[in-house]
Amino acid sequence: MLRKIWRFIWHDDSLLSWVISVALAFVLVKFIIYPGLGLIFNTQLPVVAVVSSSMEHKGNFDSFWERQGGWYENNGITKQEFSNYPMTNGFNKGDIIFLYGSNKIREGDVIVFKGNSHNPIIHRVVKINNNSYQTKGDNNNDSFEQLGETNINPEKVVGKAFLRIPYLGWVKIIFTDLINLVRK
């Protein structure tokens, strides 16, 4: 019996076989792989797709610093300090970012937090005040209070970024856009 099921899923070229394979892959990722990664990385959101351009650098570090460095220098962050931050070159819309839960957040870390928007926000910590954080998207002109990024409590921090995989997040973005299109 199991051999027949295995053969049907992996070797049959029918539409039904394909649909069952996709459904099985979805169930495995959603209910086994994703929660397993969450357990390993100590966060409820171990993998995020970047859905905005707020962390893009568009060019090399020096050209980024020419455009954005003034804000950082006016806020006490030198070019040398920034160049030692994690993910110094930012990342792009459509990238996948892996996170781990940490209560040791430092200036310059890239964190995901629950702000005032529908989606979690992934930005760089630019200030630590008492027990709260202020973030800024590297490509943004300032921190946005309306997004809730000027006074982030540690409870709102979902995780700290540690790994980037380029382009893979476009799969999620395209599917989300298609679903939203169908809903309209």
Tab-separated table of all heavy atoms in Angstrom, residues 3 17-18 27 31 44 73 81 94 98 111 116 132 141 177:
chain	number	residue	atom	x	y	z
A	3	ARG	N	3.921	1.530	-0.874
A	3	ARG	CA	4.680	1.564	-2.124
A	3	ARG	C	3.835	2.184	-3.253
A	3	ARG	O	4.326	2.963	-4.058
A	3	ARG	CB	5.126	0.157	-2.489
A	3	ARG	CG	6.226	0.130	-3.489
A	3	ARG	CD	6.757	-1.252	-3.642
A	3	ARG	NE	8.067	-1.261	-2.982
A	3	ARG	CZ	8.800	-2.308	-2.828
A	3	ARG	NH1	8.374	-3.479	-3.222
A	3	ARG	NH2	9.976	-2.225	-2.257
A	17	SER	N	-1.717	13.756	-8.885
A	17	SER	CA	-0.435	13.474	-8.250
A	17	SER	C	0.314	14.770	-7.950
A	17	SER	O	0.887	14.943	-6.873
A	17	SER	CB	0.401	12.571	-9.147
A	17	SER	OG	1.708	12.448	-8.646
A	18	TRP	N	0.294	15.676	-8.910
A	18	TRP	CA	0.972	16.968	-8.733
A	18	TRP	C	0.330	17.762	-7.601
A	18	TRP	O	1.015	18.311	-6.748
A	18	TRP	CB	0.919	17.753	-10.047
A	18	TRP	CG	1.688	19.016	-9.995
A	18	TRP	CD1	3.024	19.167	-10.197
A	18	TRP	CD2	1.171	20.314	-9.708
A	18	TRP	NE1	3.376	20.490	-10.054
A	18	TRP	CE2	2.243	21.216	-9.755
A	18	TRP	CE3	-0.095	20.807	-9.425
A	18	TRP	CZ2	2.100	22.578	-9.520
A	18	TRP	CZ3	-0.245	22.168	-9.184
A	18	TRP	CH2	0.837	23.022	-9.237
A	27	VAL	N	2.256	21.063	3.706
A	27	VAL	CA	2.051	20.563	5.066
A	27	VAL	C	3.392	20.326	5.757
A	27	VAL	O	3.568	20.693	6.925
A	27	VAL	CB	1.190	19.270	5.038
A	27	VAL	CG1	1.211	18.561	6.382
A	27	VAL	CG2	-0.229	19.601	4.621
A	31	PHE	N	4.016	22.749	8.926
A	31	PHE	CA	3.789	22.136	10.228
A	31	PHE	C	4.975	21.365	10.795
A	31	PHE	O	4.937	20.950	11.946
A	31	PHE	CB	2.558	21.230	10.168
A	31	PHE	CG	1.303	22.000	9.869
A	31	PHE	CD1	0.693	21.895	8.629
A	31	PHE	CD2	0.747	22.847	10.810
A	31	PHE	CE1	-0.461	22.610	8.342
A	31	PHE	CE2	-0.396	23.574	10.526
A	31	PHE	CZ	-1.004	23.457	9.290
A	44	GLN	N	9.484	32.606	17.038
A	44	GLN	CA	8.269	32.163	16.347
A	44	GLN	C	8.307	32.463	14.853
A	44	GLN	O	7.497	31.956	14.092
A	44	GLN	CB	7.053	32.833	16.982
A	44	GLN	CG	7.072	34.350	16.864
A	44	GLN	CD	5.914	35.005	17.576
A	44	GLN	OE1	4.913	34.358	17.836
A	44	GLN	NE2	6.049	36.288	17.873
A	73	GLU	N	25.794	60.001	10.704
A	73	GLU	CA	26.775	60.862	11.368
A	73	GLU	C	26.097	61.884	12.270
A	73	GLU	O	26.578	62.165	13.371
A	73	GLU	CB	27.659	61.535	10.320
A	73	GLU	CG	28.613	60.539	9.677
A	73	GLU	CD	29.409	61.100	8.511
A	73	GLU	OE1	29.051	62.172	7.973
A	73	GLU	OE2	30.388	60.431	8.120
A	81	GLU	N	32.156	52.847	12.289
A	81	GLU	CA	31.274	52.043	13.140
A	81	GLU	C	30.275	51.260	12.284
A	81	GLU	O	30.077	50.069	12.490
A	81	GLU	CB	30.502	52.935	14.116
A	81	GLU	CG	31.329	53.464	15.252
A	81	GLU	CD	30.549	54.464	16.084
A	81	GLU	OE1	29.922	55.373	15.509
A	81	GLU	OE2	30.588	54.328	17.320
A	94	GLY	N	12.747	40.815	-1.755
A	94	GLY	CA	12.798	39.483	-2.352
A	94	GLY	C	13.832	38.569	-1.733
A	94	GLY	O	13.879	37.388	-2.056
A	98	PHE	N	17.085	34.836	7.693
A	98	PHE	CA	16.919	33.917	8.816
A	98	PHE	C	17.150	34.692	10.106
A	98	PHE	O	18.053	35.533	10.185
A	98	PHE	CB	17.913	32.759	8.717
A	98	PHE	CG	17.518	31.725	7.712
A	98	PHE	CD1	17.774	31.917	6.365
A	98	PHE	CD2	16.896	30.563	8.118
A	98	PHE	CE1	17.404	30.969	5.431
A	98	PHE	CE2	16.519	29.597	7.191
A	98	PHE	CZ	16.776	29.804	5.843
A	111	ILE	N	17.043	43.752	13.186
A	111	ILE	CA	16.025	43.005	13.923
A	111	ILE	C	14.703	43.009	13.158
A	111	ILE	O	14.456	43.864	12.321
A	111	ILE	CB	15.791	43.573	15.346
A	111	ILE	CG1	15.262	45.012	15.292
A	111	ILE	CG2	17.055	43.463	16.192
A	111	ILE	CD1	14.772	45.546	16.632
A	116	ASN	N	3.692	49.025	13.902
A	116	ASN	CA	2.306	49.435	13.700
A	116	ASN	C	1.761	49.059	12.330
A	116	ASN	O	0.682	49.482	11.958
A	116	ASN	CB	2.180	50.951	13.894
A	116	ASN	CG	2.535	51.371	15.302
A	116	ASN	OD1	2.431	50.587	16.231
A	116	ASN	ND2	2.969	52.597	15.470
A	132	SER	N	14.536	50.237	25.373
A	132	SER	CA	13.809	50.225	24.103
A	132	SER	C	14.774	50.543	22.968
A	132	SER	O	15.875	51.038	23.189
A	132	SER	CB	12.651	51.223	24.129
A	132	SER	OG	13.134	52.538	24.125
A	141	ASN	N	15.013	57.760	4.849
A	141	ASN	CA	15.611	59.037	5.250
A	141	ASN	C	15.618	59.237	6.757
A	141	ASN	O	16.366	60.064	7.261
A	141	ASN	CB	14.889	60.202	4.573
A	141	ASN	CG	15.113	60.205	3.083
A	141	ASN	OD1	16.178	59.808	2.608
A	141	ASN	ND2	14.116	60.634	2.331
A	177	ASP	N	0.929	38.291	-3.641
A	177	ASP	CA	0.316	39.223	-4.589
A	177	ASP	C	-0.814	38.554	-5.367
A	177	ASP	O	-1.862	39.158	-5.602
A	177	ASP	CB	1.360	39.792	-5.547
A	177	ASP	CG	2.315	40.775	-4.877
A	177	ASP	OD1	2.040	41.174	-3.714
A	177	ASP	OD2	3.324	41.135	-5.503
